[in-house]
Amino acid sequence: MTGGTGGAATRVVGMGVNPSAAVGVSTESTPRIPADHSGVTDLFAVLAYGEISAFYRLAEEAKLSPTLRGKVAVAKMAAAEMDHFDTLEQALSGRGVDVFDAMAPFVRALDAYHDSTDPSTWLESMVKFYVGDGIAADFYTLLADALAPEVATVVRDVLAETNHSEFVIEEVRRAVEENRSERDRLTLWGRRLLGEAITQAQYVMAQRDELTELVLAATGDLTGIAALFEHMQNSHAERMRVLGLG
């Protein structure tokens, strides 16, 4: 899956419903996926590369901010992503896996997502941070519900709230309320982010059998995977509404 997964990732996941039940992910006390499942290493690895990618891209995009407040806010977001990377590096090390070797298979797909969604303005950067992270968080949060507790804890830790969402929402809502053309442009940008994210997620799964098997174990079957992507699209629509881009 794409993007960083901390920061804005968990703002509106669920939105008052149980997303796991909605897409058929197990909510029973006994998880479907054991801690030694071969796909767990891939899951940690793709999360790790998402976090480190988010770190250096946010650090670069801070330059787009027109205010010092914005630069500092994005710097804090980047720092949170680095903390999450450290958590995943330790988790992989505990499994006897080198984080750099583990991340290597995911570099091309995640870089392709970021290259195809490179923001050209401050507001595009903020929408990508909030919406892009949210798309990824939907995917991983739903998987976590079917994972062994020690694995699910790591996943949820790197999806944790980092208290920057209100800043992003305020920045975007204020801008689009004042400028109709900006709202229309960012609405199209949000749709593009969703399309690219799902495309790259499907590509990653197709390339990594272990990860595909893990997702199938979490969702039950191909119908469950389709329901998962449908849920991601519905959650995306809600995030866009929150930003004033519905």
Side-chain angles (χ1 to χ4, degrees), residues 32-237:
R32 293 181 184 173
I33 304 172
D36 61 356
H37 189 288
S38 58
V40 171
T41 294
D42 273 352
L43 177 62
F44 285 168
V46 71
L47 279 165
Y49 192 67
E51 296 295 342
I52 199 65
S53 296
F55 166 75
Y56 60 72
R57 291 177 187 280
L58 282 169
E60 181 67 23
E61 290 165 14
K63 300 175 184 177
L64 295 172
S65 173
T67 67
L68 180 59
R69 179 172 178 261
K71 287 180 170 65
V72 170
V74 175
K76 289 181 178 179
M77 295 174 197
E81 305 290 9
M82 194 66 206
D83 287 343
H84 293 158
F85 173 81
D86 289 343
T87 297
L88 290 158
E89 183 177 23
Q90 292 171 19
L92 284 165
S93 178
R95 299 172 72 87
V97 177
D98 177 79
V99 66
F100 299 103
D101 291 340
M103 291 190 300
F106 303 104
V107 170
R108 171 182 269 183
L110 269 66
D111 282 358
Y113 166 74
H114 286 298
D115 289 345
S116 66
T117 58
D118 188 28
S120 60
T121 69
W122 169 245
L123 289 174
E124 284 184 0
S125 178
M126 290 294 92
V127 171
K128 181 179 177 180
F129 176 73
Y130 185 82
V131 170
D133 270 17
I135 294 167
D138 282 337
F139 186 82
Y140 296 121
T141 299
L142 291 165
L143 294 185
D145 289 331
L147 296 170
E150 60 269 37
V151 177
T153 296
V154 174
V155 174
R156 292 191 177 106
D157 281 351
V158 301
L159 298 177
E161 170 71 66
T162 51
N163 299 317
H164 303 300
S165 61
E166 290 306 315
F167 168 77
V168 176
I169 293 169
E170 290 171 6
E171 286 279 297
V172 176
R173 287 188 71 95
R174 181 170 59 249
V176 301
E177 286 170 0
E178 296 172 354
N179 189 324
R180 173 62 183 270
S181 63
E182 190 72 80
R183 185 182 73 184
D184 293 343
R185 187 178 68 81
L186 291 174
T187 297
L188 292 174
W189 174 245
R191 292 174 185 167
R192 180 178 172 186
L193 292 172
L194 176 65
E196 292 287 346
I198 290 179
T199 296
Q200 292 305 324
Q202 292 170 334
Y203 174 80
V204 168
M205 289 172 56
Q207 298 299 309
R208 302 296 296 178
D209 290 343
E210 294 86 353
L211 190 57
T212 300
E213 290 171 5
L214 184 147
V215 174
L216 280 169
T219 58
D221 52 27
L222 292 176
T223 300
I225 292 179
L228 185 154
F229 282 118
E230 182 179 357
H231 170 75
M232 290 163 61
Q233 292 179 59
N234 292 337
S235 296
H236 172 78

